[in-house]
Amino acid sequence: MGYKNIASLFVALVLVSACSSKPKNDYDLNYDFKALQSFTQLAPQPSDDPLSAQRIQTEITQQLSQKGFTENASSPDFKVAYGLLTQDKPKDSGLSIGLGTGSFGRSGGIGVGTSVGVPLGSDTAKIQTIQIDIIDTKTNKLIWRGTDSFDFDGDGDKKAQDTAKAVSRILAQFPPQP
């Protein structure tokens, strides 16, 4: 599978994963992940968000190193590629409907109520999706993929923390346990 096809698959995964709060992963069921010891990161695709791209790259190296993998650009066992996509998502409408029951003395009743919130500011929010691919160096085939999405509306510090948490959640599932 070419790296150019990864972008089209990434968009499809974004649509599926944007609705979830738990990272998703898929992998080659017949691959021996225990043989992996060293990695290198592929050059990232050009991004309109270079700060996030750098944060992701740094966090991938840190997370894989904490798992016992060593960075080795000259002869790695696997390559790591990643992609990120930031997009708008609709905010909640602010419409609430409630149903309640109650009693007062000897009488009871049922009530229905509605509430409409008035949105202040923008009517959209940002969500960022990160996809991390693990590619076997010898066969150049994708062997593992992880994806996660998170709200991306905070300031720089909040974005950095949320990015680190997302990468950590994704790589917590790598290597897969049988």
Side-chain angles (χ1 to χ4, degrees):
M1 174 184 297
Y3 295 118
K4 293 180 182 180
N5 292 334
I6 290 176
S8 60
L9 290 174
F10 179 65
V11 171
L13 280 174
V14 165
L15 297 174
V16 172
S17 67
C19 300
S20 68
S21 61
K22 182 179 179 187
K24 305 287 183 200
N25 72 72
D26 193 10
Y27 56 93
D28 182 342
L29 298 174
N30 298 316
Y31 192 85
D32 180 15
F33 289 92
K34 293 178 184 173
L36 300 178
Q37 296 177 3
S38 62
F39 71 96
T40 190
Q41 287 199 53
L42 296 175
Q45 295 293 323
S47 170
D48 60 349
D49 187 355
L51 292 174
S52 289
Q54 181 59 44
R55 290 173 183 141
I56 293 167
Q57 192 169 13
T58 300
E59 193 64 29
I60 287 172
T61 299
Q62 289 176 356
Q63 291 293 321
L64 290 175
S65 295
Q66 287 176 5
K67 290 178 163 285
F69 297 107
T70 56
E71 192 166 12
N72 181 348
S74 61
S75 61
D77 296 320
F78 64 95
K79 298 181 274 190
V80 182
Y82 70 89
L84 68 130
L85 178 65
T86 305
Q87 63 191 87
D88 291 333
K89 74 169 187 170
K91 285 189 178 178
D92 294 336
S93 68
L95 174 64
S96 304
I97 299 176
L99 175 66
T101 62
S103 63
F104 182 74
R106 293 185 184 180
S107 57
I110 297 177
V112 177
T114 62
S115 169
V116 177
V118 178
L120 300 174
S122 173
D123 60 348
T124 61
K126 296 283 187 196
I127 187 168
Q128 186 169 81
T129 302
I130 299 172
Q131 174 181 300
I132 300 173
D133 290 342
I134 305 295
I135 301 152
D136 180 87
T137 305
K138 293 174 187 152
T139 63
N140 212 30
K141 290 187 179 180
L142 178 68
I143 56 172
W144 186 90
R145 171 173 283 160
T147 309
D148 195 16
S149 298
F150 59 96
D151 288 336
F152 196 67
D153 276 335
D155 61 6
D157 189 46
K158 175 84 168 117
K159 287 178 181 179
Q161 290 174 9
D162 290 345
T163 299
K165 288 177 186 175
V167 171
S168 178
R169 285 190 305 262
I170 294 168
L171 290 177
Q173 301 178 9
F174 177 80
Q177 302 302 315

